[in-house]
Amino acid sequence: MIIIHLFHKHLERQVLYLERQLRALERSFSKYKKVTLFPNGRIVGEKVFVTSGYQGDFISVKQMCSQACGKLASPQDSAENSAVQQIAAVYTKKVFLGINDIQMEGRFRYWNVQVIIYSNWAPREPNNDRGNEDCVEIYPNGFWNDQNCREKRLIVCEF
Ligand code: MAN
Ligand code: CA
């Protein structure tokens, strides 16, 4: 009986210790997130959007994201869109999204070929200007425009 009681006490102390450690870790992790994401990143739910500040054409920015084990930013709702918009606004630059209609004109898809489930087109877009706009950029105001994939735009990846 006494041994069981001592063991119980021991476990109780261990649990209290671990709870305290976990709280300290949570505090420092939440601070660490703020530090690393300032001012280049945003968190929405489980998604993290971040820019390196570099610009490139669609192929290069797509490669840069996949080399970092991420994907080009593909906002799928208004909260995610406003996160990417905020990064574009910090840099006052347009950003390429991970969306294109290369495969079939007018049918915009993510990289996994799924047709987009959310969009935020600017008025009169997408217009496939000069018959040559298969990529999608987001303006610092959050609206989308189809744009030539060879233009150079700010890179934002999602992880
Ligand atoms: C204007 C509009 C857009 C088009 C760009 C091309 O902003 O016609 O639709 O994509 O020019 O630079
Ligand atoms: Ca356009």
Side-chain angles (χ1 to χ4, degrees), residues 41-125:
R42 293 287 184 281
I43 302 182
V44 185
E46 293 193 354
K47 251 193 207 182
V48 180
F49 296 100
V50 61
T51 181
S52 64
Y54 295 131
Q55 294 180 88
D57 62 21
F58 187 62
I59 300 290
S60 336
V61 294
K62 183 182 177 271
Q63 267 170 7
M64 284 190 243
C65 286
S66 75
Q67 266 161 24
C69 296
K71 288 179 234 151
L72 268 183
S74 307
Q76 303 206 344
D77 57 42
S78 63
E80 293 187 0
N81 200 70
S82 107
V84 182
Q85 176 261 315
Q86 285 170 35
I87 296 171
V90 167
Y91 282 79
T92 58
K93 292 200 158 74
K94 301 166 201 163
V95 170
F96 267 138
L97 300 181
I99 294 170
N100 69 78
D101 72 340
I102 292 167
Q103 194 191 321
M104 189 201 286
E105 177 52 40
R107 193 169 272 271
F108 287 88
R109 300 171 189 271
Y110 305 113
W111 271 104
N112 65 5
V113 308
Q114 191 201 339
V115 172
I116 56 173
I117 57 169
Y118 166 85
S119 64
N120 196 37
W121 297 113
R124 293 174 297 282
E125 305 295 346

